[in-house]
């Protein structure tokens, strides 16, 4: 589940800063160097102003998302522009205090003001305008993208094609849908090339080597050291991914025959998802015999006539059991739980903190399903994080790094074990350990299959931004990386005129992607550590931290720091480790790894 918490400062969407002009000096005279008192006053002004604008923008966005009309769209766009413009202005003005020896918390705030940006526009107004237009236009091309099959009247949207890739088992139909969607991207290719040039120019004006280096600077370590960290984490988990890949390839070969090679990469259109980034739609096809968990949470919830409010109450109860305060009364009055019948809304699940203090809400269109039961626990993770850091100064009201916010919700969702469902009275008896393979395989198809994809998008973009990948090699290197990391390959020939990276939203929309890779690593590391403090002795996949005050105290201490300390401090507070560590994934899936090894015996592994 990828969701969105609105904070104008974190600039999740399109965020621009005009570089350079903030340090322009009036001709001839050198300005007097600023004092620490001036820096303090500047930060106070920035925090007060950004807080007010952020609250305005959140209100406008909430109304827009829960009641879509032309007017609410305009009002929210205006509020966002005001908040972004102020963020840009403060980032520029912050450079005036460069070189001043500030107390640590003030220095951190100055740094955050400058690093909250994902795109730096050059100081030349013409170029800056061109860059804004390019990104808006690429995002528009993506948003309007449709595949219109020849001889058919109806064009297919990405939603239609997503359903097709998830559910069809006809390889011709799948390939047609896959190739059809990828045809939306070549028109973006030249725009993308120009966007890279201009974005780099802006980043260099701010003192970064290129835009990729600017993105990598947000992690409390040198950009190159951060890149090495990611390699190290991937190498920890890669052997397990390769086992999963080999097992799935064999089962797909049984289903589809020779179009799936015995020892090569898997054709990209057969994995149940447009980008092969998550394979859980294949579960019915690859499920182990005799290891079905034997219960269906969706059925149980429906049979009990559980309603949307009760679903959310279950989620809240989890956090209360850890020692958190119940959600405020306004949460229940102001959230959107069900899809209204009389108006258009954005149904994509999200968690909100309207006033950056206590006006917490979720926005969902809840279906009574196991999937939404999970999603509610995930979204409430954001809300409890937001409230935990609400006493921090404005600039520190965010997660320790961008992977943490997503990881916390997912960590809680990992505690939705059969034993937890028994405690809630939803299940009479939890299945024995022989059924774990089914549960683990399902989770692995969702979360482990994601890892190489979560990594490679920015591996490709960093090299594009640095110039290591020239424009004529955009598509070729994209597939080299997809083969190297994911072990997937296209089934129809690609040429240098194709632009397949553009068929994934985050590339045309300029949204960094590494946070999702981090979140997938961190959630297992958090889960292992919290399960230990909860005193869980059993296998990790059966541990739930439900009702553990000790795990809750650890978690809530770290959450309350927000962004005030470097993330290794926050990680240490929960796990005792200062390094991210993917071995928790190996621990969690140990029974599955053993089972996969047996299934893969005598068969090719790797590609
Ligand atoms: Zn989320």
């Amino acid at each position: 589940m990828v969701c969105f918490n609105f904070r104008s400062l974190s600039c999740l969407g399109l965020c621009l800063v005009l570089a350079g002009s903030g340090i322009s000096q009036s001709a001839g005279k050198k300005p007097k160097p600023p004092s620490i008192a001036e820096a303090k006053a500047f930060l106070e002004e920035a925090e007060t102003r950004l807080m007010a604008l952020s609250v305005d923008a959140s209100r406008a966005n909430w109304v827009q998302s829960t009641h879509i009309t032309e007017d609410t769209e305009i009002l929210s766009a205006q509020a966002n522009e005001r908040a972004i413009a102020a963020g840009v202005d403060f980032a520029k003005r912050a450079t005036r205090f460069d070189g001043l020896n500030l107390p640590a918390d003030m220095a951190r705030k100055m740094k955050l003001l400058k690093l909250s940006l994902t795109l730096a526009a050059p100081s030349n107004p013409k170029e800056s305008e061109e860059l804004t237009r390019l990104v808006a236009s690429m995002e528009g091309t993506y948003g309007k993208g449709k595949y219109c099959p020849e001889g058919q009247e109806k064009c297919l949207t990405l939603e239609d094609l997503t359903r097709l890739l998830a559910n069809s088992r006809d390889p011709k139909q799948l390939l047609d849908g896959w190739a059809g969607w990828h045809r939306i991207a070549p028109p973006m290719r030249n725009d993308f090339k120009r966007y890279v040039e201009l974005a780099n120019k802006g980043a260099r004006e701010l003192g970064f080597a290129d835009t990729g280096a600017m993105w990598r600077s947000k992690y409390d370590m040198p950009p190159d050291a951060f890149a090495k960290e990611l390699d190290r984490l991937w190498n920890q988990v890669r052997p397990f991914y390769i086992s999963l890949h080999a097992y799935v390839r064999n089962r797909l070969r049984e289903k589809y025959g020779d179009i799936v090679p015995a020892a090569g990469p898997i054709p990209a259109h057969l994995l149940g998802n447009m980008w092969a980034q998550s394979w859980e739609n294949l579960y019915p096809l690859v499920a182990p015999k005799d290891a079905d968990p034997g219960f269906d949470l969706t059925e149980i919830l429906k049979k009990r006539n559980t309603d949307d409010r009760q679903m959310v109450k279950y989620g809240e109860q989890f956090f209360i059991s850890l020692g958190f305060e119940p959600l405020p009364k306004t949460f229940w009055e102001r959230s959107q739980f069900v899809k209204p019948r009389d108006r258009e809304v954005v149904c994509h699940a999200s968690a909100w903190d309207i006033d950056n203090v206590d006006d917490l809400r979720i926005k969902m269109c809840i279906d009574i399903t196991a999937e939404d039961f999970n999603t509610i626990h995930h979204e409430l993770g954001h809300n409890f994080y937001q409230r935990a850091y609400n006493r921090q100064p404005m600039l520190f009201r965010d997660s320790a790094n961008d992977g943490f916010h997503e990881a916390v919700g997912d960590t809680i969702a990992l505690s939705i074990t059969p034993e937890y469902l028994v405690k809630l009275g939803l299940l009479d008896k939890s299945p024995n350990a022989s059924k774990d393979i089914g549960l683990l395989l399902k989770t692995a198809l969702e979360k482990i299959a994601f890892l190489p994809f979560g990594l490679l998008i920015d591996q490709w973009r960093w090299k594009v931004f640095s110039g290591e990948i020239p424009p004529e090699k955009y598509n070729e290197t994209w597939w080299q990386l997809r083969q190297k990391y994911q072990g997937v390959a296209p089934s129809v020939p690609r040429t240098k005129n194709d632009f397949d990276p553009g068929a994934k939203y985050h590339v045309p929309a300029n949204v960094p992607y590494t946070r999702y890779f981090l979140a997938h690593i961190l959630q297992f590391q958090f889960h292992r550590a919290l399960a230990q403090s909860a005193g869980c002795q059993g296998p990790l996949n059966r541990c739930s931290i439900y009702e553990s005050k000790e795990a809750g105290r650890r978690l809530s201490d770290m959450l309350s720091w927000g962004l005030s300390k470097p993330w290794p401090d926050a990680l240490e507070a929960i796990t005792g480790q200062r390094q991210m560590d993917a071995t928790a994934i190996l621990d969690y899936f140990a029974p599955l790894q053993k089972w996969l090894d047996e299934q893969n015996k005598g068969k090719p592994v790797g590609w």
Side-chain angles (χ1 to χ4, degrees), residues 111-123:
K111 194 177 106 183
L112 292 174
L113 272 178
K114 285 181 263 177
L115 284 178
S116 64
L117 311 152
T118 54
L119 189 60
S123 50

Side-chain angles (χ1 to χ4, degrees), residues 1-5 349-351 378-379 382 405-407 409-410 516:
M1 167 63 35
V2 173
C3 68
F4 142 100
N5 326 281
S350 54
H378 171 91
E379 297 305 336
H382 290 305
H405 231 306
E406 294 302 330
D410 277 3
Y516 302 113

Side-chain angles (χ1 to χ4, degrees), residues 5-8 51-65 76 79-80 83 352-356 361:
N5 326 281
F6 182 77
R7 281 191 76 246
S8 58
M51 171 75 114
L53 287 167
S54 148
V55 175
D56 285 352
S58 293
R59 288 193 204 292
N61 288 326
W62 175 268
V63 175
Q64 189 265 327
S65 296
S76 81
N80 288 339
W352 298 61
D353 180 12
I354 300 283
D355 64 353
N356 293 319
R361 307 177 194 179

Side-chain angles (χ1 to χ4, degrees), residues 375-392:
T375 303
I376 287 164
H377 287 69
H378 171 91
E379 297 305 336
L380 292 183
H382 290 305
N383 281 151
F384 280 92
Y385 204 161
Q386 288 161 336
R387 186 166 60 178
Y389 56 59
N390 72 3
R391 281 183 297 271
Q392 291 290 343

Side-chain angles (χ1 to χ4, degrees), residues 265-282:
I266 301 174
H269 61 292
L270 298 179
L271 287 155
N273 174 280
M274 187 61 78
W275 307 278
Q277 71 178 67
S278 167
W279 304 349
E280 78 259 33
N281 293 316
L282 297 186

Side-chain angles (χ1 to χ4, degrees), residues 227-297:
K228 284 208 185 90
E229 266 303 276
L230 297 183
D231 286 342
R232 185 182 62 79
L233 291 167
W234 170 239
N235 282 324
Q236 284 183 314
V237 77
R238 191 170 166 271
F240 176 47
Y241 175 77
I242 288 177
S243 301
L244 181 68
H245 178 279
Y247 170 71
V248 167
R249 180 173 58 193
N250 274 319
R251 300 302 297 262
L252 290 177
R253 209 170 136 75
E254 282 164 24
K255 169 80 187 167
Y256 293 118
D258 282 342
I259 58 168
V260 181
I266 301 174
H269 61 292
L270 298 179
L271 287 155
N273 174 280
M274 187 61 78
W275 307 278
Q277 71 178 67
S278 167
W279 304 349
E280 78 259 33
N281 293 316
L282 297 186
Y283 181 74
L285 211 61
V286 304
K289 290 180 194 88
D290 312 320
D292 189 78
F295 68 91
D296 179 349
L297 180 57

Side-chain angles (χ1 to χ4, degrees), residues 540-560:
L540 208 44
N541 63 303
R542 286 295 183 108
C543 286
S544 177
I545 61 169
Y546 184 62
E547 289 180 319
S548 167
K549 296 285 183 294
E550 179 52 26
R553 190 193 53 74
R554 272 194 169 209
L555 182 63
S556 101
D557 280 356
M558 186 280 274
L559 299 186
S560 71

